[in-house]
Amino acid sequence: MNIMNKHLQHILEILQQENPTVDQKKAALKSLKEADKELEVTAFKLDRTEKVKHTTAVLLEETIAELEQKRIAVEAQNRELEIETALERVRSRSMAMQKSDELKEVIKIVYQQLRYLKINPDHAGFVVDYTPGGDWHFWIADEQDIPSKITHPNFESVWANQFNDAREKGADLFTTHLNFEEKNKFYNELLSLSLIH
């Protein structure tokens, strides 16, 4: 910029003279051409700098996107490892079981591993020795450490109907969604009929 200012200053000095000589006019023209070249070089450098900045910004965005994809993949892989670890804990305790009373320990492990996986159920339970229309036998675990083995007579409920349907279809899992009133009705009936061991 200082060189360009020097050329422009020289041109200005010549133009301020009343009758510039031919040599001065030639010198002014030469200075004008030099200033024009320097402007072109500066414009080229600025353009190149802008292109580099744009390319860098695009590469940075792509890198951030790739890193985000890798972060998501790592989180998914970590989640899979957490699930596999939880399943292995349940598997280990189940395989070590010698008597049916040890279902108390197995369901506690299941409940703890669900909590470990941040599923946060109110409780977990096994239904055992079930015959359609017969008594229900549960092994249960929860945060309050309620009695582990509960028996209650069969009664009509949304949950019992869904359990029976799932059992008939050979399903490994089913879910019951109850609103607040339905849930309270179900548990009031369940607890009023339950025999705690």
Side-chain angles (χ1 to χ4, degrees):
M1 200 69 159
N2 289 339
I3 295 172
M4 184 178 69
N5 287 341
K6 182 176 128 182
H7 290 298
L8 292 176
Q9 183 65 35
H10 185 241
I11 294 167
L12 181 62
E13 288 171 2
I14 293 171
L15 291 175
Q16 287 174 340
Q17 293 180 9
E18 282 189 28
N19 291 318
T21 65
V22 173
D23 287 339
Q24 287 174 327
K25 288 179 184 178
K26 285 181 183 177
L29 189 57
K30 182 180 175 186
S31 289
L32 191 57
K33 287 179 182 176
E34 290 296 323
D36 186 50
K37 270 192 224 176
E38 288 168 8
L39 282 173
E40 284 180 21
V41 168
T42 302
F44 173 76
K45 288 179 180 177
L46 283 173
D47 183 55
R48 188 173 62 189
T49 301
E50 285 303 313
K51 287 178 181 174
V52 168
K53 280 171 50 179
H54 176 72
T55 302
T56 303
V58 168
L59 289 172
L60 186 59
E61 284 179 22
E62 289 173 357
T63 302
I64 289 169
E66 286 174 20
L67 287 173
E68 180 63 14
Q69 288 174 349
K70 286 179 182 178
R71 183 191 65 77
I72 290 168
V74 166
E75 283 180 0
Q77 188 175 22
N78 285 344
R79 183 63 175 172
E80 287 177 24
L81 289 171
E82 287 175 345
I83 291 168
E84 188 56 41
T85 300
L87 287 172
E88 187 53 40
R89 289 177 183 140
V90 171
R91 226 179 274 127
S92 286
R93 183 60 188 100
S94 299
M95 297 302 285
M97 191 172 73
Q98 301 292 316
K99 303 179 289 184
S100 62
D101 282 355
E102 292 178 71
L103 281 170
K104 173 182 182 176
E105 296 303 319
V106 175
I107 195 58
K108 279 185 180 180
I109 296 289
V110 169
Y111 177 75
Q112 290 167 354
Q113 295 314 299
L114 290 171
R115 301 285 292 187
Y116 165 75
L117 294 171
K118 296 181 178 47
I119 295 172
N120 299 327
D122 290 332
H123 55 268
F126 295 130
V127 177
V128 293
D129 302 328
Y130 175 73
T131 56
D135 288 347
W136 295 88
H137 304 281
F138 293 98
W139 286 94
I140 297 179
D142 76 352
E143 194 69 25
Q144 287 78 37
D145 202 24
I146 61 171
S148 299
K149 190 174 182 186
I150 297 174
T151 300
H152 74 82
N154 187 27
F155 70 96
E156 183 71 24
S157 70
V158 173
W159 181 86
N161 293 337
Q162 289 179 339
F163 179 90
N164 288 329
D165 288 345
R167 188 168 186 269
E168 285 175 22
K169 293 175 184 172
D172 294 327
L173 177 72
F174 76 96
T175 58
T176 302
H177 297 280
L178 303 173
N179 65 32
F180 184 75
E181 290 79 20
E182 291 169 332
K183 176 198 58 100
N184 287 345
K185 180 182 178 204
F186 172 75
Y187 279 107
N188 285 333
E189 289 180 40
L190 176 71
L191 295 174
S192 71
L193 298 171
S194 295
L195 174 61
I196 299 171
H197 299 277

